């Protein structure tokens, strides 16, 4: 099996033999992460958002999880099929990666006798569907539940004694200074679903980064240790809570306008910082990690301020500034929770 390790396989087998229930967490929807060309290695991306399409086997469709665009998977690579000189046939696309749907299918092959359900935004697209899936789980009609972070939080089911996390690293390397913290939270919450009553619980974490603090401290169940290490890292890099951060995001249908608007805004920030002698660090502007969302090109700039007063004053000044374009939307976020 590509996603279920031998250790996790045996743990599932033993738990099923004891007549107990299992949660399998894979924090990504879809059957595969992406379709990738075998020749030019280009993955298929949504034309509206600079994020990779996710393949959904049940619908045989490529879906963008940001703007909702759905297309039929092409047979050959749209990037290099016309220039392929290696053979007469255009290079084909290969299904790579994993997702809740693929893990679900693998588990059905490995444990054909088990009652397996899936819980993610595709299967529980309304409250009734969500209640139906959880109802079957509570009545112990479901033996294995596979899902995204929806399965990690708040469920108190005494017969769930095994939690397996298929890929702990999903989300760990996102371009966000809170990625490690979020990963620790999710894994700790997921682990907390196992052995909530008198039965002993087991947790199996599968990772390519076994020495990462987020993984090590989750395994040790050491919140204080993780917080100390994470806070030391934040302090050295001057990140919240040791600074007040302002994130400024520009969005435009024209990519050059989004960047130019923030270049102009940076000059204004430099001017006000100089005039008032504020200790402010300016990062950017640069294209946002998700550079294109819902047909708009996005750039962002980060300001690290020593005090809330400085952050507030600069934000107020920038909001009243006249930027030379009506075709750009600019938003301000004080102490942003989302950096993407």
């Amino acid at each position: 099996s590509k996603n279920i390790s031998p250790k996790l396989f045996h743990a599932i087998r033993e738990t099923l033999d004891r007549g107990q229930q299992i949660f399998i967490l894979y924090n990504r929807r879809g059957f595969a992460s992406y379709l990738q060309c075998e020749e030019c290695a280009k993955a298929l991306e949504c034309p509206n958002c600079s994020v990779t399409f996710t393949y959904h086997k049940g619908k045989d469709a490529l879906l963008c999880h940001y703007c909702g665009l759905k297309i039929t998977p092409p047979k050959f690579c749209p990037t290099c099929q016309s220039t392929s000189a290696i053979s007469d046939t255009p290079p084909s696309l290969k299904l790579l990666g994993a997702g809740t749907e693929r893990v679900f299918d693998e588990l059905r092959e490995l444990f054909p006798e088990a009652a397996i359900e899936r819980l993610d935004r595709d299967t529980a697209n309304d409250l009734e569907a969500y209640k139906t899936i959880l109802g079957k789980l509570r009545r112990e009609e479901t033996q294995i539940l596979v899902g995204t972070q929806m399965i990690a939080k708040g469920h108190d089911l005494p017969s769930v004694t095994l939690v397996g996390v298929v890929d702990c690293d999903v989300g760990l390397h996102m371009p966000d200074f809170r990625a490690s913290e979020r990963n620790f939270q999710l894994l700790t919450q997921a682990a907390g679903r196992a052995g909530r009553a008198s039965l002993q619980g087991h947790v199996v974490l599968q990772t390519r980064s076994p020495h990462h603090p987020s993984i090590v401290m989750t395994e040790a169940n050491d919140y204080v240790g993780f917080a100390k290490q994470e806070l030391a890292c934040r302090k050295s890099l001057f990140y919240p809570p040791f600074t007040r951060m302002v994130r400024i995001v520009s969005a435009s249908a024209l990519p050059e306008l989004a960047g130019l608007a923030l270049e102009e805004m940076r000059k204004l920030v430099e001017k006000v910082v100089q005039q008032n002698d504020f200790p402010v660090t300016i990062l950017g502007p640069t294209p946002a990690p998700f550079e294109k969302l819902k047909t708009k090109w996005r750039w962002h700039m980060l300001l690290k301020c020593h005090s809330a007063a400085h952050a507030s004053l600069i934000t107020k000044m920038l909001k009243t500034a006249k930027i030379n374009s009506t075709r750009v939307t600019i938003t301000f976020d004080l102490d942003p929770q989302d950096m993407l």
Side-chain angles (χ1 to χ4, degrees):
S1 171
K2 283 185 179 175
N3 293 294
I4 307 297
S5 67
K7 186 172 186 173
L8 182 54
F9 173 85
H10 291 302
I12 294 170
R13 178 77 277 154
E14 286 168 9
T15 308
L16 288 173
D17 291 344
R18 289 196 304 269
Q20 292 161 6
Q21 292 172 296
I22 299 137
F23 274 6
I24 300 294
L25 174 73
Y26 187 96
N27 201 27
R28 187 178 182 122
R29 291 148 66 204
F31 180 78
S33 299
Y34 48 89
L35 282 179
Q36 187 177 34
C37 176
E38 290 184 301
E39 193 169 300
C40 74
K42 176 76 177 162
L44 265 66
E45 285 188 349
C46 170
N48 297 330
C49 314
S50 58
V51 289
T52 312
F53 275 121
T54 302
Y55 177 69
H56 288 255
K57 188 188 178 192
K59 300 169 188 165
D60 190 33
L62 288 170
L63 186 68
C64 172
H65 285 301
Y66 288 90
C67 72
L69 179 66
K70 187 164 77 171
I71 66 164
T72 303
K75 194 175 179 187
F76 299 115
C77 175
T79 305
C80 71
Q81 62 178 350
S82 57
T83 56
S84 174
I86 292 170
S87 65
D88 295 332
T89 55
S92 61
L93 296 160
K94 196 174 184 183
L95 206 56
L96 293 171
T100 47
E101 198 176 340
R102 173 167 280 194
V103 173
F104 175 74
D105 281 1
E106 273 186 34
L107 285 165
R108 284 203 305 188
E109 281 178 33
L110 293 169
F111 305 100
E113 77 294 349
I116 306 172
E117 288 280 345
R118 200 174 114 223
L119 181 64
D120 55 32
R121 274 191 292 172
D122 295 321
T123 58
N125 52 11
D126 59 37
L127 190 59
E128 281 310 305
Y130 181 73
K131 282 180 177 174
T132 302
I133 293 166
L134 285 185
K136 287 171 81 174
L137 193 69
R138 285 200 181 94
R139 293 190 299 273
E140 297 188 26
E141 291 165 21
T142 298
Q143 293 167 285
I144 304 174
L145 182 68
V146 183
T148 55
Q149 62 180 352
M150 289 174 80
I151 74 169
K153 300 169 186 179
H155 307 297
D156 189 0
L157 299 153
S159 290
V160 174
T161 58
L162 173 66
V163 169
V165 184
V166 168
D167 189 349
C168 292
D169 309 334
V170 172
L172 191 58
H173 306 299
M174 295 289 272
D176 186 333
F177 69 87
R178 289 192 182 87
S180 185
E181 175 190 358
R182 289 205 176 108
N183 206 58
F184 178 83
Q185 285 173 340
L186 180 65
L187 296 180
T188 303
Q189 284 171 332
R193 299 312 103 211
R196 293 181 66 82
S198 55
L199 299 169
Q200 192 181 355
H202 297 273
V203 181
V204 176
L205 305 178
Q206 292 182 181
T207 177
R208 296 178 195 88
S209 314
H211 305 300
H212 192 284
S214 177
I215 308 292
V216 173
M217 303 295 185
T218 298
E219 191 184 358
N221 197 20
D222 185 3
Y223 168 75
V224 174
F226 176 76
K228 279 181 181 172
Q229 187 156 346
E230 185 67 12
L231 285 168
C233 184
R234 298 264 185 100
K235 193 173 186 178
S236 69
L237 295 167
F238 197 43
Y239 276 126
F242 302 99
T243 180
R244 302 307 296 269
M245 188 179 274
V246 180
R247 184 179 189 228
I248 306 162
V249 181
S250 63
S252 175
L254 299 168
E256 62 275 14
L257 284 186
L260 287 169
L262 286 195
E263 290 287 359
E264 210 175 315
M265 201 159 263
R266 182 181 172 117
K267 286 172 189 164
L268 289 172
V269 176
E270 285 170 343
K271 195 175 171 184
V272 80
V273 164
Q274 215 169 6
Q275 284 172 349
N276 295 281
D277 198 25
F278 288 162
V280 174
T281 306
I282 308 168
L283 300 177
T286 60
F290 292 134
E291 195 177 348
K292 199 179 183 192
L293 283 183
K294 298 180 182 177
T295 73
K296 295 289 173 72
W297 293 89
R298 303 161 72 247
W299 282 61
H300 70 167
M301 182 165 70
L302 302 172
L303 311 179
K304 292 178 179 177
C305 308
H306 276 258
S307 75
H310 292 169
S312 180
L313 198 70
I314 291 169
T315 304
K316 276 178 188 168
M317 185 278 298
L318 292 174
K319 280 180 178 176
T320 57
K322 296 285 179 283
I323 299 297
N324 295 330
S325 179
T326 53
R327 290 180 290 175
V328 179
T329 306
I330 294 176
T331 52
F332 300 86
D333 193 355
L334 178 61
D335 295 330
Q337 292 301 307
D338 178 13
M339 302 291 286
L340 302 177

